[in-house]
Amino acid sequence: MAGSRERPSPAARDNRWKLVETTLRRHGHRAHSLIEALHAAQEAYGYLDTDVLGRLAGDLRLPLSKVYGVATFYNFFSLEPQGEHSCVICTGTACYIKGAGAIMAALEADGLKAGETSADGQVSVLTARCFGSCGLAPAAVMDGDVLGRLTPDDVLGRVRQWRTHDA
Ligand code: FES
């Protein structure tokens, strides 16, 4: 595979968390900014997992039950990718300029649309605004691995591997 690969290090995750922190800071880390914070987190990560919800609860000094309750009440928040595997494509400016559009087009030509899960339940394709790894553009997070300098073939290759191995 031509794309260079980074292990899902805490630093890589922190890059994305920094984007959420910008929103938290703008709202003074106040509890009433929960919805904005959830939007920012979903844009950065593609969906909201327990780890992210816990961090938001801690930062906003809210009970996790409250954060979880709000995240599940609104159907535009997604708590997990629906498929066995997740492919989150960054569509931020740097990644877009470096070819994220071509990656999305290749996935779509293969029947995989952003925001949807393949009919076989194997792969959910999501988009996120920026992972904070712009130096790796175009970047994607595939099953938690931050991958960079991807070509459409790199992404399609991994997706097809998931679908044939897990079928
Ligand atoms: S624009 Fe894609 S990682 Fe920043």
Side-chain angles (χ1 to χ4, degrees):
M1 179 155 141
S4 64
R5 178 184 172 128
E6 268 186 5
R7 291 307 304 158
S9 65
R13 290 185 166 270
D14 283 350
N15 274 344
R16 288 186 281 166
W17 182 253
K18 277 182 197 159
L19 300 164
V20 180
E21 267 182 340
T22 305
T23 298
L24 291 168
R25 242 193 335 269
R26 197 169 54 239
H27 292 279
H29 299 267
R30 283 193 291 270
H32 68 71
S33 62
L34 175 58
I35 301 257
E36 284 86 351
L38 286 167
H39 273 298
Q42 180 150 302
E43 272 188 7
Y45 291 86
Y47 63 99
L48 304 166
D49 66 10
T50 315
D51 188 37
V52 167
L53 293 178
R55 290 181 84 168
L56 286 176
D59 190 282
L60 297 173
R61 295 196 176 82
L62 286 168
L64 179 57
S65 57
K66 163 91 177 167
V67 175
Y68 185 81
V70 172
T72 50
F73 180 79
Y74 296 102
N75 60 11
F76 43 78
F77 293 127
S78 170
L79 266 57
E80 55 185 30
Q82 302 298 306
E84 283 289 310
H85 301 277
S86 65
C87 173
V88 187
I89 305 291
C90 178
T91 54
T93 307
C95 289
Y96 197 79
I97 288 168
K98 296 268 186 150
I103 293 173
M104 295 302 299
L107 286 168
E108 209 159 307
D110 229 34
L112 295 161
K113 286 197 182 133
E116 294 184 3
T117 297
S118 57
D120 58 9
Q122 288 295 323
V123 185
S124 289
V125 176
L126 303 148
T127 56
R129 189 72 62 82
C130 176
F131 301 142
S133 300
C134 310
L136 292 178
V141 178
M142 302 185 79
D143 275 355
D145 291 341
V146 179
L147 305 174
R149 300 187 190 98
L150 292 165
T151 66
D153 283 347
D154 291 334
V155 176
L156 275 185
R158 185 143 172 175
V159 165
R160 285 179 180 155
Q161 206 178 22
W162 285 338
R163 298 183 83 178
T164 50
H165 284 181
D166 294 354

